[in-house]
Amino acid sequence: METIRRTKISDLLQQDDFGATVSVKGWVRTRRGNKNVSFIALNDGSTINNIQIVAEIEKFGEDFLKPVTTGACIHVVGKYVESQGQGQKGEILAEKIEIYGSADPATYPLQKKGHSLEFLREIAHLRPRTNTFGAIFRMRHHMSYAIHKYFNDRGFYYLHTPIVTASDAEGAGSMFQVTTLNLNNVPRTEMQDVDYSEDFFGRQTNLTVSGQLEGELGAMALGAVYTFGPTFRAENSNTPRHLAEFWMIEPEVAFYDIHDNMDLAEDFLKYLIRYALDNCADDIAFLNEHFDKELIERLNFVVNNDFVRLTYTEGVKILEESGHKFEFPVYWGADLQSEHERYLVENHFKRPVILTDYPKEIKSFYMKQNDDGKTVRGMDVLFPKIGEIIGGSERESDYDKLTKHMEEIGMNSAPIWWYIETRKFGTAPHAGFGLGFERLMLFVTGMANIRDVIPFPRTPNNADF
């Protein structure tokens, strides 16, 4: 075929210069027609919209067009003309067609019918070719770009924190071990413990649960940093909200207090959602129509409302006095559940909420302690439909308070001696938060299961693809 430069379908659909000869390549979504003409819906992944290819049977022959079925990959050269039908501006009158790869209708699983999301998870290698997952993964790209743009434009530095680590940032203990030891013949010490001195790093190591601790080190030198990378939790949680491998965004800023931190979190979330509305309109419209009729309304709800800010104590009081029957009991000291968080947002305030000053017993060791001795300067941002979307805090910058609290909870400080040492050498107030990228993606796409907003989900008993 002649060497005309390929045009992406997303670009072609923006053009009005009808009559030009164009070249497009993509995968066949559907083919229909009659004995005279075939109408081929072609998609190349650049947009949720297809381009219609009009192929005259007399020009190509029935036998040639027979392999042009759903799933086949083709190259078309033809004239871009104004469309005769409804729903699209232009179409291509095919002059030449090259078949790159066929897809046997008897075995290709994405035929023109409705497929459940559960079934599509089983064929994750093909689900990006559906309208739904094409939309989601394009939006995932746009949100990733927006995150980098937001921080870059505000003078933050992107810090690459380690994926293999010897520390447990959250004190959670649910970590994946990294080892090169022969598991069929594990070396032992005299006390019959695993002899990690013979392992690759000479010590026990794991996949990271967070880049926060290293992010704090960066903030103590560069002022304002952020991490954006994969994190891992070995929790046996088979829920629509949990993944074993997920991505986290964690800004950390020197000289910030809890109020600066709340301002940053609110501005950041509004920026991202506004960016999605402005740059993913076609994909959001599709998801709004097919999956969540309130999606666009909910996105605008966040962008157009100031976030309510109140303490955990005030929030618990509202929940206790609400008269609402919750599945999990509410009392001061309880770790709030999603149903409690959503009640505050959706029923009581009807606005996004930032809760602060949590009981220190239910929050991480590094959060700054308040003068009351009972609470810490933690903060959670609560959204409609999903509950907590951001968790963060002002960090404890006082060496004595930090080490004393670690002793109180029986935490081994040896693996993070370097973290504690920053409180000895030029300590400063600082704060930061973590945004689970997939939680954000659930919100901006309206999807209900976190497995459907990451290309290849990792969950208990599932590491396919």
Side-chain angles (χ1 to χ4, degrees):
M1 294 177 69
E2 67 248 49
T3 54
I4 298 172
R5 190 182 180 87
R6 175 195 164 216
T7 303
K8 283 187 180 179
I9 291 171
S10 57
D11 295 333
L12 187 60
L13 293 174
Q14 301 297 316
Q15 294 178 15
D16 290 326
D17 56 341
F18 300 114
T21 298
V22 297
S23 165
V24 293
K25 302 178 182 185
W27 293 269
V28 176
R29 288 290 169 84
T30 60
R31 182 183 142 214
R32 59 184 176 81
N34 53 44
K35 61 184 182 188
N36 297 320
V37 66
S38 274
F39 299 100
I40 303 162
L42 198 67
N43 189 284
D44 65 1
S46 63
T47 169
I48 199 158
N49 300 306
N50 305 322
I51 187 77
Q52 179 164 280
I53 312 295
V54 182
E56 293 177 5
I57 304 293
E58 190 178 0
K59 181 177 285 188
F60 295 98
E62 277 186 47
D63 288 344
F64 176 81
L65 291 173
K66 202 167 278 182
V68 181
T69 57
T70 297
C73 185
I74 63 173
H75 173 198
V76 179
V77 172
K79 191 169 285 188
Y80 182 53
V81 299
E82 209 161 350
S83 178
Q84 302 301 305
Q86 294 291 311
Q88 69 261 340
K89 186 166 61 175
E91 60 190 19
I92 297 173
L93 302 181
E95 293 165 3
K96 294 181 180 176
I97 296 176
E98 180 182 3
I99 300 170
Y100 284 149
S102 60
D104 180 6
T107 55
Y108 182 62
L110 292 175
Q111 294 303 319
K112 186 173 164 46
K113 60 177 181 178
H115 297 290
S116 72
L117 296 173
E118 289 80 4
F119 169 71
L120 292 173
R121 279 176 221 137
E122 295 171 9
I123 54 165
H125 59 308
L126 294 172
R127 68 177 182 169
R129 294 196 201 175
T130 64
N131 282 335
T132 301
F133 288 96
I136 290 166
F137 299 147
R138 277 188 297 272
M139 288 184 67
R140 197 178 161 100
H141 156 78
H142 284 295
M143 289 295 90
S144 299
Y145 174 76
I147 287 160
H148 287 298
K149 179 169 172 53
Y150 178 88
F151 287 122
N152 179 74
D153 291 354
R154 286 155 183 79
F156 284 66
Y157 298 107
Y158 181 28
L159 191 71
H160 298 114
T161 53
I163 289 173
V164 177
T165 176
S167 64
D168 179 354
E170 295 296 321
S174 304
M175 304 180 79
F176 290 102
Q177 283 200 37
V178 175
T179 184
T180 56
L181 295 177
N182 180 352
L183 299 184
N184 294 315
N185 185 23
V186 177
R188 300 280 177 180
T189 65
E190 288 183 9
M191 302 295 292
Q192 290 304 301
D193 296 323
V194 176
D195 186 359
Y196 285 107
S197 69
E198 294 193 27
D199 208 347
F200 185 88
F201 292 106
R203 62 192 300 182
Q204 185 176 351
T205 52
N206 312 286
L207 295 178
T208 185
V209 297
S210 166
Q212 179 201 315
L213 301 191
E214 293 88 352
E216 288 187 50
L217 310 186
M220 289 293 95
L222 300 172
V225 302
Y226 71 103
T227 75
F228 184 11
T231 51
F232 306 84
R233 302 279 166 92
E235 295 172 358
N236 192 13
S237 299
N238 259 312
T239 80
R241 289 165 56 87
H242 289 89
L243 290 166
E245 175 185 303
F246 56 99
W247 287 65
M248 283 278 283
I249 303 102
E250 296 175 296
E252 201 69 39
V253 193
F255 318 119
Y256 263 29
D257 64 15
I258 186 74
H259 303 288
D260 301 316
N261 208 27
M262 288 191 281
D263 291 344
L264 178 67
E266 179 171 348
D267 188 61
F268 180 49
L269 286 168
K270 285 183 172 179
Y271 175 92
L272 294 179
I273 292 164
R274 196 175 293 114
Y275 190 94
L277 287 165
D278 291 345
N279 293 275
C280 310
D282 287 348
D283 290 327
I284 288 174
F286 172 84
L287 294 167
N288 190 88
E289 181 180 347
H290 293 279
F291 286 95
D292 184 347
K293 302 289 188 193
E294 298 171 353
L295 174 60
I296 293 173
E297 183 185 332
R298 198 181 307 112
L299 296 178
N300 283 309
F301 167 85
V302 169
V303 169
N304 296 330
N305 278 299
D306 291 336
F307 294 9
V308 177
R309 302 180 184 191
L310 72 158
T311 65
Y312 167 92
T313 302
E314 292 167 329
V316 167
K317 188 167 186 284
I318 290 167
L319 293 167
E320 286 177 331
E321 295 174 355
S322 69
H324 187 83
K325 288 275 183 270
F326 294 107
E327 182 184 347
F328 294 93
V330 181
Y331 54 91
W332 198 96
D335 205 353
L336 297 185
Q337 302 296 314
S338 180
E339 59 170 342
H340 307 137
E341 296 165 342
R342 289 183 60 181
Y343 180 88
L344 291 172
V345 174
E346 297 168 17
N347 299 80
H348 188 81
F349 289 109
K350 296 184 169 54
R351 280 195 285 162
V353 170
I354 307 180
L355 274 188
T356 63
D357 301 294
Y358 282 80
K360 69 177 182 181
E361 285 76 21
I362 62 171
K363 286 298 183 183
S364 296
F365 74 95
Y366 49 71
M367 295 192 180
K368 185 170 182 63
Q369 298 170 50
N370 285 318
D371 294 338
D372 61 13
K374 296 192 302 180
T375 60
V376 290
R377 289 185 199 169
M379 66 165 212
D380 286 348
V381 182
L382 313 179
F383 263 23
K385 195 174 181 186
I386 60 172
E388 181 200 336
I389 193 167
I390 273 179
S393 71
E394 186 175 340
R395 316 308 189 188
E396 183 55 76
S397 56
D398 184 282
Y399 176 83
D400 292 331
K401 286 183 180 177
L402 180 65
T403 52
K404 185 184 175 198
H405 184 49
M406 291 174 75
E407 285 169 18
E408 286 173 353
I409 61 176
M411 186 172 173
N412 179 16
S413 61
I416 56 167
W417 61 269
W418 41 269
Y419 177 78
I420 299 165
E421 206 165 81
T422 59
R423 274 64 177 174
K424 288 167 66 177
F425 305 135
T427 190
H430 60 290
F433 59 77
L435 167 63
F437 187 46
E438 283 71 29
R439 288 270 175 97
L440 171 72
M441 290 306 303
L442 278 178
F443 187 75
V444 296
T445 61
M447 301 304 287
N449 194 314
I450 204 161
R451 294 171 176 88
D452 296 328
V453 294
I454 191 168
F456 307 106
R458 297 289 179 254
T459 53
N461 298 312
N462 177 32
D464 291 336
F465 310 104

